[in-house]
Amino acid sequence: MKRRITLSWLLMALICLPMFAQMQDPVRFKTEWKNLSANEAEIIFTGTMDQGWHVYSTDLQEGGPTSATFNIDKIEGAELVGKLTPIGKEIKQMDPIFEMEVKFFEGTAKFSQKVKLTGGDYLITGYLEFGACNDQNCLPPTSVDFSYKGTVAGAAASATVAPAKTEEAAAPAESTETVDSTAAVTTAPQTLQEATDYWKPVIKELSNYGSTEEQESHSWIYIFFTGLVGGILALFTPCVWPIIPMTVSFFLKRTKDKKKGIRDAWTYGASIVVIYVALGLAITLIFGASALNALSTNAIFNILFFLMLVIFAASFFGAFEITLPSKWSNAVDSKAEATTGLLSIFLMAFTLSLVSFSCTGPIIGFLLVEVSTTGSVVAPAIGMLGFAIALALPFTLFAMFPSWLKSMPKSGGWMNVIKVVLGFLELAFALKFLSVADLAYGWRLLDRETFLALWIVIFALLGMYLLGKIKFPHDDDNNKVGVGRFFLALISLAFAVYMIPGLWGAPLKAVSAFAPPMQTQDFNLYKNEVHAKFTDFDAGMEYARQNNKPVMIDFTGYGCVNCRKMELAVWTDPKVSQMLNDDYVLITLYVDEKTKLPEPIKVTENGTERTLRTIGDKWSYLQRSKFGANAQPFYVLLDNEGMPLNKSYSYDEDIAKYVDFLQTGLKNYKK
């Protein structure tokens, strides 16, 4: 007897980059001096951030993202009491990239540092340093300067506050206009423009080449296309395909007016679109943008997604059937029969969504899981729009052209083959989410070679199934293998063979977005890696000038995830690595490098005085002042005089585009 599992809770669970070539101003801090008593005060830092961004809290582990820290340049007549204290609700979660628990704030971040006044005049100058990220990129470590002075007189403490008290400190500067890149040096005998003009701003010259394409529009197209493919696959399942001719015939026969029948069919299709898009919007409204952003790295959610997809795969293999309570569909169907007009048609569409859930549910579940973890607020709605259009279109087309019904393939065992193939695919993608949790907790259960071994087995078994060597409970006894199945089997087996060299370290660019990072590989024979010739801008530019070579500047960070993706997925390409190693002088500048400068450097930027204290501060200032950008990864090609050779390049793993980016720079340099 066919086993059924009523999983209404599963439906409830389902309801469960970037503009790099321009400046971003996602985080703004202001400082405040607050007297607590006659000899005690506190300095309060309050930051507001744009949606999707978060600021890290204090005392994070070494090797992780930038912690919020309180730093003193000069203190007289006062002493610090305790450490910098975070105020408000901290969010704690495991980060799969840093493999540690991180703490951060969303919306608003607040920190407090208590100060004891020892009597007489006092002077306190320093800065708050913090790190901020969203789901696609991170800002370099950013400082918020403060300066307070006053006199403790009698029982009260009066503070003369520097202009920083009321001025918001943006992270970093908002304007993209050319800034004063000639540093006003007050505490160090050096300038940022020494013997050359390498630091001269080239924002206008860079913009003349055009702007970097925004990744967001491409991701929305990808999400819509993913939903469209999911809807097409759902059409060919046993729960949907047989319903099409019955539904179309009903609309054409319920009225003698053919135009009205076609109009009802169009309304039916539009109702399907409304229902599924509403589901996508409900997910965003219920969970909110911040929760969707957290899904991509949250270990617990990824474990739940893994288990959900395994259950869906088992259902498609025939272990059981996922259905909603029958009383739901019966109640909606009865309501549809009792009403007329547009409401009746809408309820019929809703009935379809309920009765077909055993086939469409796993596809919708996978789609929602995948698009939710992209971090885009509108991703679920866009994905559901693509799914619904694909699902609704046949009903309207067959209503307009009823003669096409005769050419429809008849229901049969081929529909179960589609279900089983989808089961294999969902099982493979489930491992992706388990991998995220494995990295987060550091279990090392699913290292790269283990992940690839499982994928090799899964796709090899899929190929054998398509060739008829493996049978599942609902498969028929037909031993013939059609031409379509044969070619699909060939593709699946070839893909399994393609992944085998990855067990020894081959990059496997086709699966780089799914497999764990290369550093989890225990045995790696692949050594085609690219390393920078210089990590100092001036030294690298001088070398390029002496050797008459163009330069590629790589603004990166130790905590930049997308930077590592580019290095593994793009830089390892033979053409790319050859040009970076032989044709260019590669200069890699880490904007989060914590090594202190010999002495701090004060610079004037957009009318605001800033202090550069670390090497990372220096390179971050270079990126802002010279190129008008502040996010990583950021790649720019220069001649050996410091002038741009092409537009900048940000995070985009399209190797052909990257090769064209480098080749265009070489052509312009030779001119």
Side-chain angles (χ1 to χ4, degrees):
M1 181 181 294
K2 182 185 297 184
R3 291 175 290 168
R4 295 176 179 265
I5 294 183
T6 302
L7 296 175
S8 57
W9 58 268
L10 199 55
L11 179 63
M12 301 303 296
L14 293 179
I15 301 181
C16 309
L17 67 168
M19 296 165 284
F20 291 102
Q22 58 186 14
M23 296 292 288
Q24 298 188 42
D25 180 22
V27 184
R28 297 157 295 279
F29 263 94
K30 63 180 180 179
T31 66
E32 177 186 3
W33 175 279
K34 182 179 181 181
N35 291 315
L36 300 178
S37 64
N39 62 351
E40 191 176 32
E42 66 176 342
I43 302 174
I44 300 175
F45 303 90
T46 304
T48 57
M49 61 208 79
D50 293 344
Q51 191 176 59
W53 284 85
H54 56 264
V55 169
Y56 290 103
S57 187
T58 59
D59 299 323
L60 301 184
Q61 299 179 38
E62 186 176 352
T66 302
S67 301
T69 57
F70 184 86
N71 304 272
I72 287 293
D73 289 333
K74 189 175 183 180
I75 183 168
E76 297 175 355
E79 58 185 36
L80 302 182
V81 179
K83 296 181 178 181
L84 183 70
T85 303
I87 301 174
K89 183 180 179 181
E90 289 181 326
I91 300 175
K92 297 181 180 180
Q93 69 178 38
M94 293 297 299
D95 191 298
I97 303 301
F98 296 108
E99 300 186 9
M100 65 176 66
E101 184 179 71
V102 297
K103 301 177 293 182
F104 57 87
F105 294 93
E106 292 183 341
T108 302
K110 196 171 185 179
F111 303 96
S112 170
Q113 173 64 59
K114 290 187 177 181
V115 178
K116 181 180 180 182
L117 306 177
T118 57
D121 295 337
Y122 63 84
L123 171 65
I124 305 175
T125 62
Y127 61 97
L128 169 77
E129 184 179 67
F130 67 91
C133 294
N134 65 5
D135 62 310
Q136 292 183 327
N137 58 89
C138 294
L139 297 179
T142 308
S143 60
V144 181
D145 294 337
F146 64 85
S147 178
Y148 298 104
K149 61 182 179 179
T151 302
V152 177
S158 62
T160 302
V161 182
K165 178 179 180 180
T166 57
E167 178 179 327
E168 288 192 352
E174 179 179 4
S175 175
T176 61
E177 64 187 12
T178 303
V179 299
D180 180 10
S181 64
T182 303
V185 181
T186 59
T187 60
Q190 66 179 108
T191 64
L192 293 179
Q193 290 180 316
E194 295 176 347
T196 66
D197 203 20
Y198 297 143
W199 288 69
K200 177 184 177 182
V202 293
I203 300 173
K204 182 178 180 180
E205 291 82 355
L206 188 62
S207 64
N208 288 338
Y209 284 101
S211 60
T212 304
E213 293 182 4
E214 296 182 9
Q215 195 76 8
E216 186 71 15
S217 61
H218 292 286
S219 64
W220 287 2
I221 293 173
Y222 164 77
I223 291 169
F224 177 82
F225 181 74
T226 302
L228 196 69
V229 172
I232 293 173
L233 291 174
L235 278 176
F236 296 102
T237 58
C239 311
V240 179
W241 189 256
I243 298 177
I244 295 176
M246 292 187 296
T247 305
V248 172
S249 298
F250 169 78
F251 284 124
L252 294 177
K253 292 178 181 178
R254 70 182 299 190
T255 177
K256 295 181 179 179
D257 188 348
K258 184 178 180 181
K259 291 184 178 180
K260 186 177 184 302
I262 295 176
R263 187 169 62 249
D264 288 347
W266 273 99
T267 305
Y268 183 80
S271 300
I272 294 175
V273 173
V274 169
I275 290 169
Y276 284 105
V277 171
L279 174 62
L281 291 174
I283 291 175
T284 299
L285 293 175
I286 292 173
F287 286 89
S290 59
L292 291 179
N293 287 334
L295 294 181
S296 61
T297 56
N298 186 281
I300 296 177
F301 272 110
N302 277 279
I303 292 174
L304 292 176
F305 292 160
F306 163 74
L307 295 175
M308 186 185 303
L309 292 181
V310 170
I311 292 173
F312 287 159
S315 170
F316 275 161
F317 288 151
F320 48 80
E321 188 172 325
I322 300 175
T323 61
L324 295 173
S326 57
K327 61 180 181 180
W328 291 10
S329 57
N330 292 337
V332 176
D333 190 42
S334 300
K335 191 69 176 177
E337 292 179 357
T339 57
T340 58
L342 295 179
L343 179 60
S344 173
I345 297 174
F346 178 83
L347 291 175
M348 287 182 61
F350 195 65
T351 303
L352 169 70
S353 64
L354 294 178
V355 299
S356 64
F357 181 77
S358 60
C359 294
T360 60
I363 300 174
I364 295 172
F366 170 72
L367 176 63
L368 291 179
V369 167
E370 182 65 21
V371 301
S372 295
T373 55
T374 63
S376 174
V377 180
V378 297
I382 293 175
M384 286 295 95
L385 177 63
F387 180 88
I389 289 176
L391 196 65
L393 199 57
F395 291 95
T396 55
L397 289 178
F398 282 123
M400 293 177 62
F401 307 101
S403 60
W404 289 5
L405 290 172
K406 298 178 181 179
S407 60
M408 280 183 60
K410 295 182 179 180
S411 303
W414 60 271
M415 291 188 295
N416 190 68
V417 172
I418 292 177
K419 284 184 63 177
V420 173
V421 170
L422 290 175
F424 275 108
L425 295 178
E426 296 217 343
L427 190 61
F429 283 112
L431 293 175
K432 171 193 172 184
F433 297 101
L434 180 61
S435 173
V436 174
D438 181 67
L439 289 171
Y441 285 107
W443 296 330
R444 297 301 300 269
L445 298 175
L446 205 60
D447 289 348
R448 187 171 183 270
E449 62 268 37
T450 306
F451 180 95
L452 292 176
L454 289 171
W455 265 39
I456 290 170
V457 171
I458 288 173
F459 284 95
L461 290 175
L462 173 58
M464 295 176 65
Y465 168 78
L466 291 171
L467 291 175
K469 303 300 181 182
I470 300 174
K471 295 288 185 180
F472 284 94
H474 298 286
D475 288 321
D476 55 32
D477 296 328
N478 186 4
N479 293 323
K480 292 183 179 179
V481 176
V483 175
R485 284 185 62 171
F486 174 79
F487 279 108
L488 287 176
L490 187 64
I491 293 172
S492 182
L493 292 172
F495 184 59
V497 174
Y498 161 80
M499 290 186 288
I500 292 176
L503 300 175
W504 290 274
L508 302 182
K509 297 179 180 62
V511 297
S512 60
F514 305 100
M518 187 71 76
Q519 56 262 33
T520 64
Q521 183 100 12
D522 293 328
F523 186 63
N524 188 358
L525 297 178
Y526 192 77
K527 301 298 180 184
N528 186 24
E529 297 177 355
V530 176
H531 299 284
K533 289 185 175 70
F534 291 91
T535 56
D536 181 271
F537 176 68
D538 295 289
M541 291 299 297
E542 192 61 33
Y543 174 88
R545 191 173 192 175
Q546 293 174 3
N547 291 270
N548 194 28
K549 276 192 169 186
V551 173
M552 188 179 92
I553 308 295
D554 164 33
F555 286 99
T556 184
Y558 293 111
C560 175
V561 176
N562 286 340
C563 301
R564 304 292 87 77
K565 289 182 179 179
M566 290 293 292
E567 292 161 8
L568 288 173
V570 179
W571 284 14
T572 53
D573 179 78
K575 286 186 178 180
V576 174
S577 61
Q578 183 272 325
M579 283 188 284
L580 291 179
N581 288 324
D582 301 336
D583 300 328
Y584 283 94
V585 175
L586 176 60
I587 303 175
T588 293
L589 304 177
Y590 286 88
V591 298
D592 53 1
E593 172 63 59
K594 295 296 185 181
T595 303
K596 295 287 185 180
L597 292 169
E599 290 187 52
I601 302 174
K602 288 190 179 296
V603 298
T604 301
E605 188 176 4
N606 289 334
T608 302
E609 188 178 79
R610 295 178 179 272
T611 303
L612 312 180
R613 298 176 177 87
T614 66
I615 292 177
D617 290 344
K618 184 178 178 181
W619 304 144
S620 179
Y621 171 74
L622 170 66
Q623 185 183 5
R624 297 195 307 271
S625 63
K626 185 173 178 65
F627 304 110
N630 70 329
Q632 297 77 44
F634 183 81
Y635 309 105
V636 63
L637 306 178
L638 305 176
D639 62 19
N640 46 45
E641 299 294 334
M643 300 302 292
L645 297 171
N646 195 2
K647 65 181 179 181
S648 61
Y649 196 98
S650 302
Y651 173 65
D652 189 338
E653 295 183 35
D654 190 322
I655 294 176
K657 287 184 181 179
Y658 203 81
V659 169
D660 180 70
F661 164 71
L662 296 174
Q663 289 177 341
T664 302
L666 287 176
K667 291 178 182 178
N668 291 335
Y669 178 74
K670 292 176 182 179
K671 290 179 182 178

